Amino acid sequence: FSSGMKQRLKLALALFSASELVLLDDTTDNLDEAGIKWYCDNIEILRAGRTTVVASNMAYEYAFCKNRIHINAYQPIETE
């Protein structure tokens, strides 16, 4: 498998599992435009009813998150 195919497989395993907690780290690394679009279009639906933690520097990967913790010491915790 290519790195993009491996990333899609890992993402599918995380999002289609029956777990109550989903941990995502740099979710769209190695994905092409179609894979990134699929993630952005479906993440809110696929995470419904589960606690989801996203670690990323890319705002589009966590745009759906209501609570955000910035590790950078100069930025406060955001709550929407």
Side-chain angles (χ1 to χ4, degrees):
F1 285 155
S2 68
S3 58
M5 290 175 72
K6 289 177 188 176
Q7 187 70 5
R8 286 177 190 251
L9 179 59
K10 291 183 229 177
L11 188 54
L13 288 170
L15 295 177
F16 291 108
S17 70
S19 69
E20 295 178 9
L21 175 65
V22 178
L23 303 173
L24 302 172
D25 181 25
D26 293 328
T27 309
T28 60
D29 278 3
N30 300 312
L31 292 183
D32 57 12
E33 284 186 42
I36 294 170
K37 182 175 180 349
W38 179 88
Y39 169 81
C40 292
D41 290 347
N42 293 286
I43 186 61
E44 286 194 73
I45 297 164
L46 294 173
R47 71 173 193 89
R50 301 189 283 174
T51 300
T52 304
V53 177
V54 180
S56 178
N57 294 319
M58 307 303 282
Y60 66 83
E61 288 187 1
Y62 59 84
F64 62 89
C65 295
K66 292 180 182 170
N67 298 310
R68 298 174 187 170
I69 299 172
H70 294 276
I71 303 302
N72 185 332
Y74 301 106
Q75 296 178 345
I77 295 174
E78 294 179 22
T79 303
E80 293 181 333

